[in-house]
Amino acid sequence: MIIAPSILTADFCELGKVLDEAVDAGINWFHLDVMDGNWVTNKTITVGPAVIKSIRKRFGTKVFMDCHLMITNAEKTWQQYVDAGVDLVIAHVEAVSDFSKLCDSLHSANVQAGLVFNPATSVNEVLPHLNKLDLVLVMSVVPGKGGQSFMPEVEEKIRILRSAIDEQISEGGIKTRIMIDGGIKAHNIAMVKEWGVEVAVVGSGLINNNASISENLAEIELALK
Ligand code: DX5
Ligand code: ZN
């Protein structure tokens, strides 16, 4: 299981130090939440291309970076995030009109293509795109802010995706990874791993005022043993 920290609960004045601490603790994937203050109800405009570029500069190729675009115009603006240095662009299926075309554009730009879908969106909206996706992200909270409670009803969607992807792989197709985002902590991470999740976004479970990142990560790793 890969742990991808979301940095929304970090002290942004201390961001460099927080990320150093994460990398020192063994993290090699950052999940960068991009909100435009419009598509998601939370009006906070957070991480954007400038921040992503600085993170890439600080860590070079030591880390893999995805951007989770909670924005209205991903189809028009994805190139900025690629230029800033992300390895994977994840766009919301609810906000994109031609997902197949977006995947092709991302692949032509030599980055991975990811699709994310909301708790209210059916898995049937996702299945037709699987054969072009490097990753599918299941939202286990309504997107918009960190620190919300996990929605266990996503289990069925994940199990459906797991079997569809296993079938796709057995037929020689693309090895689409399953990622989960929202409310993942030490107490539920082993459960989602058993459902078939391979990458877990962890925000407030990793970056909080109760313990250090390395202590939180150690607890998560213990839960996964
Ligand atoms: C929610 C974001 C998440 C969030 C995760 O809109 O996409 O990445 O920050 O934070 P936690 O783990 O605290 O739910
Ligand atoms: Zn996210």
Side-chain angles (χ1 to χ4, degrees):
M1 178 77 107
I2 296 169
I3 309 297
S6 156
I7 59 174
L8 291 184
T9 50
D11 174 349
F12 276 65
C13 281
E14 302 290 340
L15 190 57
K17 279 192 218 157
V18 173
L19 299 180
D20 285 346
E21 198 190 330
V23 169
D24 290 346
I27 292 297
N28 58 12
W29 182 318
F30 288 129
H31 173 80
L32 303 164
D33 288 301
V34 178
M35 303 183 195
D36 61 2
N38 184 18
W39 193 72
V40 280
T41 47
N42 185 359
K43 295 280 184 269
T44 316
I45 299 173
T46 50
V47 179
V51 174
I52 293 172
K53 200 172 167 191
S54 300
I55 299 174
R56 177 57 80 209
K57 191 172 155 218
R58 192 174 185 98
F59 298 103
T61 52
K62 258 203 280 184
V63 294
F64 183 92
M65 294 199 293
D66 79 75
C67 63
H68 172 192
L69 300 181
M70 288 165 271
I71 64 178
T72 49
N73 57 355
E75 277 166 302
K76 287 200 182 116
T77 60
W78 59 267
Q79 184 74 49
Q80 304 178 31
Y81 302 93
V82 174
D83 293 345
V86 298
D87 301 289
L88 159 68
V89 174
I90 310 175
H92 270 271
V93 70
E94 302 88 356
V96 167
S97 58
D98 189 343
F99 217 98
S100 175
K101 190 174 160 206
L102 177 62
C103 289
D104 292 342
S105 306
L106 291 167
H107 287 146
S108 317
N110 287 318
V111 287
Q112 296 184 15
L115 177 152
V116 50
F117 66 118
N118 282 336
T121 301
S122 163
V123 70
N124 295 328
E125 302 289 320
V126 181
L127 296 172
H129 301 294
L130 275 187
N131 63 356
K132 284 197 178 179
L133 294 173
D134 298 285
L135 178 142
V136 57
L137 170 55
V138 180
M139 286 309 300
S140 43
V141 297
V142 176
K145 59 176 186 226
Q148 304 181 76
S149 297
F150 177 73
M151 299 167 77
E153 56 270 35
V154 296
E155 175 179 359
E156 196 190 351
K157 291 176 176 182
I158 293 170
R159 292 200 186 271
I160 291 169
L161 285 169
R162 184 71 273 154
S163 61
I165 293 168
D166 288 346
E167 200 180 310
Q168 175 171 285
I169 296 169
S170 72
E171 287 166 0
I174 185 169
K175 225 175 152 185
T176 310
R177 294 208 256 200
I178 303 180
M179 184 187 221
I180 194 162
D181 186 5
I184 299 297
K185 306 258 162 44
H187 71 84
N188 56 17
I189 197 160
M191 177 178 74
V192 300
K193 183 183 176 193
E194 191 271 318
W195 295 349
V197 170
E198 296 152 295
V199 188
V201 174
V202 187
S204 54
L206 204 58
I207 303 172
N208 58 42
N209 295 323
N210 308 325
S212 69
I213 293 177
S214 54
E215 285 165 339
N216 286 326
L217 191 60
E219 201 190 332
I220 288 167
E221 277 164 358
L222 190 68
L224 286 169
K225 269 189 187 151

